[in-house]
Amino acid sequence: MNYTDERFADIQMLRYRLNGFKDLSLRQKKYVYYLSQATLAGRDITFDQFGKYNLRIRKTLEAIYTDHSIDHSTNNFKALEVYLKRVWFSNGIYHHYGCEKFKPEFTEEYLHDCILNVNVTSLPLLPEETPLDLFLDLRRIIFDEDFMPKRVNKADGEDVVKTSACNYYDNVSQEEAEAFYAAKGNPKDERQPSWGLNSTLRKKPLISCHEGEQAIEEIVWHADGMYGKAICQIIHWLTLAADVAENDDQRNVINLLIDYYRTGDLRTFDEYSIEWLKCLDGQVDFINGFIEVYGDPLGIKASWEGIVHYKDMEATRRTQTISDNAQWFEDHSPVDPRFKKAKVKGVTANVVCAAMLGGDEYPSTAIGINLPNADWIRAEHGSKSVTIGNLTDAYNKAARNSGMKEEFVIDDATIEMINKYGDACDDLHTDLHECLGHGSGQTLPGVTSGTLKTYGNTIEEARADLFALYYLADEKLVELGLTPTADAYKANYYTYMMNGLMTQLVRIKEGDTIEEAHMRNRALIARWCVDNGDCVKLVERGGKTFVEISDYEALRTLFGKLLAEIQRIKSEGDHEAARNIVERYAVNIDGKLHKEILERYVALNLAPYKGFINPVLIPLRNEDGEIVDIDVDYNEGYAHQMLRYSSEFGTLI
């Protein structure tokens, strides 16, 4: 199988393989298929969440792209094609990682002519709207670089709600949003839901407000409300999945999720999350819903995502070994005893094969997941983690012979070490990060997930990464048979520091700052270690900059010290300390170093971002229409897949 596919802009498309799918039972295959359809059905929700113009832009560009009366050979059309592919990839007009708005390479006049000349029935026109009206509505958002320029703005000192283009707030300020949810929460209720997770917050027009009525209202996403058409389609496929679930526990979980989708009740979502945690029997599992809050500058509202996966039984033995020893890791953590869990509960972990990606997990996706996110559920019931083995395998195979190590690693001995131990230790880092890191520690009474505000996601990712880094070098891992030698961890330490200090900068345009939470996390850790010790530094050799680690054990000690501080910040809800450490280490970039890294990377002719084309699951039916097998096709092209999804799952306007 060829793991690499087409490339455009700064993106390389990859394919992943469904290893072992043919060995699943027919019931399991049907279960995967129906869950996969539910995973694709919410696609339009994610587009709309990432910007209120996204769906109209996507559908307009698709109408132009598929209209054969338009000349496909012109430079303007080719530029529009690249722009559309980027829109598909990012679920909107903002970069999936940096959140900056795309700059079109086609002209305003060209878009005007295309909209006025395509088949009018293919355009996403509103009632009484003309093609010219549509063009005038889209012109500014596409071509004005200063109008709604960032999907998520986290700049210190700015109103991050009003300056972010994500579609979670309507005419509401940061101060008003924070006050709304502060009033909604109850500090005495340790089991309160994640208020605001599944809703849009908007300010009503004054003309519609009655005397004494609150001017700000919350519009909940559910089957009979906002996003209802897409949610009803999700419910349809979940209902079919429930009929072929592997066991009653899975069926109960799906029915709770359906109840939540129908009502939008967050307490039902918490009940679903707890039952999902307990649902351990069976090979197939899934995530479907409003989950992660990275796309909200306040870290309150969740983007819609979906993923279906099944266990890699052999590789899961590794993660189960980790989860079986969760209490040992918690007890030996270098953090203050006040912030440790006296009893670790319900930590489960599996290595899985992804079968379908959707929403905010597609085409760019995580390689490890730990859920649920509610701190009180983690404390009382535990967490469930997955490392997505077939995706990391695809990344690794696609990266072979890329030249990255030869260009950026300091010497041949270190390259040899990384070649020998890098893949295994990277997988183990992901396991520790997801299985234990996110589930470790505890917050003090009264501290909620929103206390750290815009810095919460970065602090949380740093906490999980530091936990993994600290324990990756522990002799306990050798004792458990998880690492082949006591020195294997050094491969991960080197690549982590190289990434945090240097190579992740290839994803950022010259002159920009670091915005994305995971990138901020890695920069924070790497730069803090350079600033607070003498075991790691940047050195120049032959006119090029490299990372030099002189004492790996001392570096581990630094990771432990920083873990203790990051856990304190999280546990105490110390917003000022979070702000200081993130702003000092995680945001700004040395311009000279950045320019050098970009120049070296360009010479390698690589795409800095990767994403996946989904396989196609094809139900095979007998003459009575009954499904007798599910075939897997890896040949669908990127554009064909995106257009098919728009046709089959295009429920929202």
Side-chain angles (χ1 to χ4, degrees):
M1 176 177 173
N2 188 1
Y3 286 88
T4 59
D5 203 87
E6 70 172 279
R7 175 179 168 180
F8 54 90
D10 56 358
I11 294 164
Q12 174 69 61
M13 298 305 302
L14 307 177
R15 295 185 183 272
Y16 61 96
R17 186 170 185 82
L18 273 58
N19 303 311
F21 182 81
K22 66 181 187 309
D23 299 323
L24 298 178
S25 69
L26 175 58
R27 187 181 189 91
Q28 289 171 324
K29 290 178 182 178
K30 290 165 68 175
Y31 189 41
V32 168
Y33 171 71
Y34 290 135
L35 289 173
S36 294
Q37 294 296 97
T39 294
L40 299 173
R43 177 175 181 250
D44 275 6
I45 298 176
T46 311
F47 268 89
D48 190 72
Q49 289 177 319
F50 285 5
K52 69 178 183 178
Y53 293 93
N54 283 338
L55 283 173
R56 278 165 66 79
I57 291 173
R58 190 196 80 198
K59 293 182 179 186
T60 299
L61 296 178
E62 288 174 346
I64 296 169
Y65 183 70
T66 56
D67 194 311
H68 294 292
S69 69
I70 292 176
D71 187 350
H72 288 201
S73 66
T74 67
N75 290 335
N76 268 314
F77 181 86
K78 292 175 181 177
L80 182 141
E81 179 180 28
V82 171
Y83 185 88
L84 174 57
K85 288 181 176 181
R86 298 184 76 186
V87 169
W88 284 331
F89 190 90
S90 296
N91 292 294
I93 64 172
Y94 298 92
H95 197 283
H96 73 288
Y97 220 77
C99 292
E100 70 276 6
K101 187 163 67 174
F102 299 141
K103 182 178 180 181
E105 298 298 327
F106 55 90
T107 67
E108 188 174 327
E109 293 74 19
Y110 179 74
L111 181 64
H112 170 272
D113 292 344
C114 286
I115 291 177
L116 266 60
N117 284 284
V118 298
N119 185 337
V120 69
T121 62
S122 66
L123 293 173
L125 297 177
L126 302 175
E128 308 301 323
E129 187 179 39
T130 68
L132 179 59
D133 294 330
L134 175 64
F135 168 74
L136 294 174
D137 189 41
L138 301 184
R139 176 178 58 182
R140 187 179 182 195
I141 186 64
I142 293 176
F143 293 99
D144 186 343
E145 296 181 24
D146 297 322
F147 180 62
M148 303 176 74
K150 292 186 73 69
R151 176 166 63 88
V152 183
N153 177 36
K154 296 181 180 179
D156 187 38
E158 297 185 14
D159 185 324
V160 296
V161 169
K162 288 212 165 185
T163 58
S164 294
C166 55
N167 198 20
Y168 298 121
Y169 304 95
D170 185 3
N171 197 30
V172 177
S173 70
Q174 178 179 348
E175 182 179 3
E176 288 170 329
E178 290 174 346
F180 182 90
Y181 288 111
K184 197 175 183 71
N186 179 7
K188 295 181 180 180
D189 183 3
E190 295 182 355
R191 297 181 179 87
Q192 63 182 316
S194 301
W195 298 119
L197 189 74
N198 64 335
S199 65
T200 297
L201 197 65
R202 76 169 186 178
K203 186 179 292 184
K204 300 178 188 175
L206 288 177
I207 193 172
S208 67
C209 292
H210 301 291
E211 186 176 351
E213 186 179 25
Q214 191 174 21
I216 295 177
E217 66 176 342
E218 194 173 35
I219 305 171
V220 177
W221 311 324
H222 60 89
D224 294 323
M226 189 171 180
Y227 300 141
K229 288 184 178 180
I231 290 172
C232 285
Q233 193 172 34
I234 296 169
I235 290 173
H236 166 75
W237 291 109
L238 288 176
T239 302
L240 293 175
D243 289 340
V244 293
E246 296 177 88
N247 51 60
D248 289 339
D249 288 342
Q250 290 178 343
R251 193 169 296 108
N252 177 51
V253 165
I254 291 175
N255 288 332
L256 281 170
L257 180 58
I258 289 173
D259 287 345
Y260 163 62
Y261 272 136
R262 284 177 174 153
T263 65
D265 188 332
L266 285 169
R267 293 195 185 276
T268 303
F269 177 68
D270 285 346
E271 184 182 357
Y272 151 77
S273 298
I274 293 167
E275 293 305 311
W276 175 79
L277 273 175
K278 297 177 183 177
C279 189
L280 303 177
D281 294 333
Q283 196 167 349
V284 180
D285 204 352
F286 71 99
I287 295 164
N288 188 299
F290 306 106
I291 308 295
E292 300 292 355
V293 297
Y294 298 107
D296 176 7
L298 297 184
I300 295 173
K301 302 187 176 300
S303 58
W304 188 89
E305 66 178 60
I307 182 170
V308 185
H309 53 77
Y310 53 94
K311 293 176 186 175
D312 180 333
M313 303 305 291
E314 183 174 346
T316 288
R317 295 190 186 97
R318 181 183 76 231
T319 52
Q320 288 181 341
T321 298
I322 293 172
S323 59
D324 288 345
N325 288 273
Q327 190 66 59
W328 185 93
F329 288 102
E330 184 77 3
D331 293 343
H332 290 81
S333 173
V335 308
D336 189 309
R338 294 180 300 149
F339 310 140
K340 295 181 183 181
K341 290 177 178 173
K343 185 176 182 180
V344 178
K345 300 178 182 179
V347 175
T348 61
N350 296 296
V351 179
V352 301
C353 285
M356 193 63 64
L357 309 172
D360 201 9
E361 291 291 344
Y362 168 81
S364 177
T365 185
I367 56 172
I369 298 170
N370 177 275
L371 291 171
N373 287 326
D375 288 332
W376 75 266
I377 296 180
R378 289 177 182 273
E380 294 188 18
H381 301 279
S383 62
K384 189 191 288 186
S385 300
V386 295
T387 300
I388 311 175
N390 61 334
L391 298 187
T392 57
D393 181 60
Y395 278 127
N396 292 338
K397 285 182 167 63
R400 287 177 181 172
N401 304 315
S402 68
M404 278 289 289
K405 290 192 292 287
E406 290 74 13
E407 177 59 39
F408 289 103
V409 176
I410 192 167
D411 54 37
D412 290 342
T414 307
I415 291 175
E416 182 180 354
M417 174 180 68
I418 294 169
N419 286 338
K420 190 172 184 180
Y421 300 120
D423 288 352
C425 286
D426 288 349
D427 286 345
L428 190 53
H429 177 106
T430 302
D431 295 340
L432 290 166
H433 174 112
E434 300 294 349
C435 301
L436 302 183
H438 280 305
S440 66
Q442 63 181 359
T443 56
L444 298 183
V447 177
T448 66
S449 59
T451 304
L452 300 181
K453 300 181 181 178
T454 58
Y455 303 106
N457 289 331
T458 298
I459 292 298
E460 175 57 24
E461 291 304 322
R463 194 176 70 90
D465 255 358
L466 286 162
F467 192 98
L469 289 164
Y470 180 77
Y471 278 116
L472 199 60
D474 201 288
E475 293 180 358
K476 183 71 171 180
L477 298 192
V478 179
E479 176 189 322
L480 294 173
L482 296 172
T483 48
T485 71
D487 290 334
Y489 74 93
K490 295 178 181 179
N492 182 265
Y493 273 27
Y494 190 89
T495 54
Y496 190 94
M497 294 300 292
M498 182 179 73
N499 191 25
L501 291 170
M502 294 172 51
T503 51
Q504 74 169 0
L505 298 180
V506 304
R507 297 178 166 186
I508 300 174
K509 291 189 296 185
E510 192 172 355
D512 286 355
T513 58
I514 303 175
E515 296 282 348
E516 201 275 334
H518 297 80
M519 294 182 74
R520 282 188 168 190
N521 142 51
R522 291 188 287 267
L524 188 161
I525 292 171
R527 293 171 179 179
W528 186 94
C529 288
V530 170
D531 202 28
N532 287 272
D534 56 8
C535 57
V536 56
K537 59 185 177 181
L538 293 173
V539 298
E540 184 177 317
R541 293 190 179 179
K544 295 181 179 181
T545 304
F546 295 93
V547 172
E548 181 181 75
I549 301 177
S550 57
D551 190 333
Y552 283 89
E553 292 181 6
L555 181 56
R556 188 206 182 197
T557 300
L558 288 176
F559 288 147
K561 289 180 179 178
L562 183 55
L563 173 58
E565 173 59 8
I566 293 294
Q567 182 65 63
R568 182 199 68 78
I569 291 172
K570 165 87 173 182
S571 296
E572 294 182 348
D574 190 341
H575 177 267
E576 187 61 22
R579 176 185 178 278
N580 289 339
I581 199 167
V582 171
E583 293 295 336
R584 179 174 179 180
Y585 292 109
V587 178
N588 297 311
I589 303 172
D590 178 279
K592 181 180 178 182
L593 175 63
H594 193 192
K595 187 174 187 297
E596 176 200 329
I597 299 302
L598 290 174
E599 289 174 350
R600 292 164 65 182
Y601 186 77
V602 166
L604 296 174
N605 192 31
L606 301 173
Y609 298 100
K610 311 290 190 296
F612 290 98
I613 301 172
N614 280 325
V616 184
L617 300 183
I618 305 170
L620 305 179
R621 302 178 184 272
N622 61 20
E623 57 187 20
D624 296 323
E626 300 168 332
I627 296 176
V628 295
D629 202 357
I630 303 292
D631 194 19
V632 182
D633 180 14
Y634 300 103
N635 297 311
E636 186 172 35
Y638 174 64
H640 186 277
Q641 182 161 106
M642 291 298 186
L643 291 170
R644 180 171 65 84
Y645 287 172
S646 293
S647 173
E648 294 179 5
F649 304 104
T651 52
L652 304 179
I653 298 298

